[in-house]
């Protein structure tokens, strides 16, 4: 791969995740502490991202696969998204905020699949080269957190303004990316293509189906972390929370580079199970940590993000690209986005909002939360998911042994 292409794709990934990291981490704190929204409203706001992940990626993936160059679709979505993200900085009532946020997420969620699609189409050896490109996305997320903490605006609307500007920059930059034309296919457009239903044929592959189901289930408890970790650490008295949470992305960066080594030694199934176990450990560390005598538990929970994310989500993206036929690659990336940030996160954000409200206490108009009880909920859910899939994988191994002996 030539240096110019690497730089172009790396910068794309940096800006893609700089945008997301700018507003997503601090949104809960802004909504709960600054705008005084309820825990349920906070959950619904994060759920807008999940609903958009269900609605948008298949349709946009089909457009990029068949009708328009992927980099152009990507650029237009980011430019439109920049406008709606700017509007969010001016709104302080929940119904209007939610509608505007939902429209923004309709623009943003497909871009995660499209950036992956561009990389996989342009790289000669995606399995080997993709981690080195995707790692710049992690650097972008870290940079966003450090920048926001440097400005000291984590509880304000400024992070959304930063995301708006970055989205506009990336939108125009996308038109300079390598041309990624649609994969032409003979015959008329069908309803199945428009709805992205052709990609569902991949579910006939048992391993692919397992990945999708696991992605849905593991993202239910995962949503507790995304919607509540920032405000939890703020209430616990941790300073410069956004930059400290960026340590999780630093861990992600390290494990991303080590992934090929782990893959050779462990394989897909064991890496998935290890990633699930890491989520359980994270929730327990948050539940029993404190800022006086056990602050190390907070840092431990944050640093586990590398195993949690890389061993499950990035591995899934690479696996999907390997399994999907050429004309369905964008739609297939959209499917895994739907499973992870769509269905699972939608259920999880609703549940997390309910749980946060159930364990909230208001004293003199100041809202606090019983975080130990809150974090035990996703911990128990994750244990259930881990046991379910450990038993499933064991059953498949036993069937293989019986087949070999026969």
């Amino acid at each position: 791969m030539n240096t110019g292409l690497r730089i172009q794709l790396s910068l794309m990934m940096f800006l893609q995740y700089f945008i997301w990291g700018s507003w997503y981490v601090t949104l809960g704190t802004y909504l709960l502490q600054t705008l005084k929204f309820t825990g349920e409203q906070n959950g619904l706001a994060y759920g807008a991202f999940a609903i958009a992940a269900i609605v948008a990626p298949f349709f946009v993936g089909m457009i990029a696969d068949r009708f328009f160059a992927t980099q152009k679709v990507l650029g237009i979505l980011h430019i439109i998204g920049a406008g709606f993200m700017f509007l969010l900085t001016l709104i302080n009532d929940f119904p209007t905020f939610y509608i505007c946020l939902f429209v923004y997420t309709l623009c943003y969620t497909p871009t995660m699949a499209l950036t992956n699609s561009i990389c996989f189409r342009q790289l000669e050896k995606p399995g080997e080269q993709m981690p080195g490109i995707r790692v710049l996305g992690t650097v972008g997320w870290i940079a966003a957190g450090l920048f926001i903490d440097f400005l000291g605006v984590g509880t304000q609307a400024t992070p959304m303004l930063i995301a708006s500007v970055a989205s506009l920059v990336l939108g125009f930059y996308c038109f300079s990316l390598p041309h990624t034309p649609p994969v032409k296919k003979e015959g008329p457009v069908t309803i199945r293509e428009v709805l992205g239903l052709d990609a569902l044929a991949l579910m006939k592959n048992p391993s692919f189906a397992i990945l999708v189901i696991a992605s849905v289930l593991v993202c239910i408890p995962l949503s507790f972390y995304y919607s509540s970790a920032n405000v939890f650490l703020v209430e616990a008295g941790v300073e410069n929370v956004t930059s400290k949470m960026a340590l999780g992305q630093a861990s992600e960066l390290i494990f991303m580079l080590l992934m090929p080594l782990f893959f050779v030694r462990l394989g897909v199934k064991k890496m998935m199970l290890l990633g699930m176990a890491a989520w359980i450990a994270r929730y327990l560390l948050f539940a029993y940590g404190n800022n006086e005598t056990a602050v190390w538990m907070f840092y431990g929970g944050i640093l586990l993000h590398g195993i949690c994310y890389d061993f499950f989500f990035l591995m899934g993206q690479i696996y999907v690209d390997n399994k999907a036929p050429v004309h369905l690659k964008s739609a297939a990336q959209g499917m895994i986005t739907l499973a992870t940030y769509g269905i699972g996160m939608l259920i999880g954000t609703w549940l997390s909002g309910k749980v946060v409200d159930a364990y909230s206490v208001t004293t003199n108009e100041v809202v606090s939360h019983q975080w130990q009880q809150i974090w035990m909920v996703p911990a128990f859910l994750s244990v259930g998911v881990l046991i379910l899939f450990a038993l499933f994988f064991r059953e498949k191994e036993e069937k293989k042994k019986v087949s070999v002996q026969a």
Side-chain angles (χ1 to χ4, degrees):
M1 176 173 54
N2 65 67
T3 304
L5 178 61
R6 177 182 289 276
I7 293 174
Q8 280 186 299
L9 298 180
S10 296
L11 181 57
M12 175 190 69
M13 282 295 185
F14 177 90
L15 290 171
Q16 174 73 22
Y17 288 90
F18 180 91
I19 295 166
W20 194 12
S22 295
W23 67 272
Y24 197 75
V25 175
T26 60
L27 180 65
T29 303
Y30 175 65
L31 297 183
L32 292 171
Q33 293 195 347
T34 304
L35 297 185
K36 306 300 182 183
F37 290 171
T38 67
E40 185 173 3
Q41 288 173 328
N42 180 52
L44 288 172
Y46 276 94
F49 192 96
I51 296 174
I54 295 173
V55 174
F58 277 141
F59 178 71
V60 175
M62 185 278 297
I63 291 175
D65 276 333
R66 178 154 187 164
F67 297 111
F68 300 102
T70 305
Q71 80 278 4
K72 293 181 180 179
V73 177
L74 185 64
I76 291 171
L77 288 173
H78 274 300
I79 292 171
I80 296 173
F84 282 98
M85 180 57 72
F86 175 75
L87 290 177
L88 286 170
T89 66
L90 309 175
I91 301 169
N92 56 21
D93 67 283
F94 180 73
T96 309
F97 188 95
Y98 180 84
I99 293 171
C100 190
L101 179 62
F102 180 63
V103 176
Y104 169 76
T105 55
L106 283 175
C107 294
Y108 183 84
T109 52
T111 65
M112 295 188 292
L114 294 179
T115 50
N116 289 337
S117 182
I118 289 175
C119 289
F120 289 131
R121 289 275 303 278
Q122 296 294 332
L123 298 176
E124 296 177 358
K125 300 178 180 179
E128 297 177 12
Q129 298 168 335
M130 182 61 173
I133 300 295
R134 174 58 182 81
V135 76
L136 267 293
T138 302
V139 173
W141 187 293
I142 295 172
L146 294 174
F147 186 51
I148 290 169
D149 263 355
F150 173 76
L151 296 177
V153 294
T155 61
Q156 303 173 24
T158 308
M160 292 184 290
L161 181 61
I162 294 170
S164 176
V165 173
S167 187
L168 190 65
V169 171
L170 178 55
F172 285 106
Y173 173 73
C174 286
F175 292 95
S176 70
L177 291 172
H179 183 51
T180 309
V183 179
K184 295 182 179 180
K185 182 181 176 182
E186 297 180 358
V189 180
T190 66
I191 296 297
R192 289 181 60 84
E193 286 181 302
V194 172
L195 297 178
L197 297 179
D198 282 342
L200 291 177
L202 296 172
M203 293 291 286
K204 294 179 181 179
N205 182 313
S207 297
F208 186 87
I210 292 168
L211 175 64
V212 172
I213 295 170
S215 298
V216 171
L217 293 179
V218 82
C219 281
I220 295 174
L222 163 62
S223 60
F224 281 76
Y225 175 77
Y226 281 145
S227 64
S228 301
N230 189 270
V231 67
F232 156 66
L233 293 172
V234 169
E235 288 188 13
V238 178
E239 298 180 352
N240 299 320
V241 171
T242 307
S243 59
K244 287 178 179 175
M245 285 188 69
L247 291 173
Q249 276 63 50
S251 168
E252 179 186 328
L253 186 154
I254 293 171
F255 279 98
M256 195 175 296
L257 296 175
L258 294 175
M259 271 185 63
L261 177 63
F262 281 102
F263 179 73
V264 171
R265 294 180 176 273
L266 299 178
V268 175
K269 295 177 183 178
K270 290 182 180 179
M271 288 181 72
M272 288 172 59
L273 292 172
L274 185 58
M276 292 178 186
W279 284 110
I280 299 171
R282 160 178 275 178
Y283 301 135
L284 292 176
L285 288 169
F286 280 171
Y288 291 99
N290 63 75
N291 202 36
E292 296 177 358
T293 60
V295 68
W296 66 269
M297 288 189 174
F298 292 163
Y299 286 102
I302 293 170
L303 289 170
L304 278 172
H305 186 74
I307 298 176
C308 293
Y309 184 87
D310 293 342
F311 282 21
F312 199 91
F313 293 100
L314 184 58
M315 179 60 64
Q317 292 168 1
I318 295 174
Y319 177 85
V320 167
D321 183 72
N322 289 335
K323 290 293 182 181
V326 174
H327 67 285
L328 289 178
K329 288 189 181 293
S330 291
Q333 290 295 331
M335 174 178 282
I336 201 66
T337 300
L338 180 150
T340 53
Y341 297 109
I343 299 172
M345 290 291 284
L346 177 61
I347 299 170
T349 50
W350 171 82
L351 180 61
S352 66
K354 290 290 187 181
V355 171
V356 168
D357 273 347
Y359 291 101
S360 65
V361 179
T362 303
T363 306
N364 297 326
E365 297 186 355
V366 176
V367 180
S368 59
H369 302 89
Q370 298 170 318
W371 287 108
Q372 185 177 77
Q373 290 87 338
I374 292 172
W375 287 120
M376 291 305 294
V377 174
F380 280 121
L381 291 173
S382 298
V383 169
V385 176
L386 178 63
I387 292 174
L388 176 65
F389 281 92
L391 291 175
F392 179 81
F393 288 143
R394 181 179 179 181
E395 182 181 354
K396 289 201 70 178
E397 292 299 325
E398 290 297 328
K399 286 182 178 179
K400 286 183 179 179
K401 290 181 180 178
V402 171
S403 177
V404 171
Q405 291 174 356

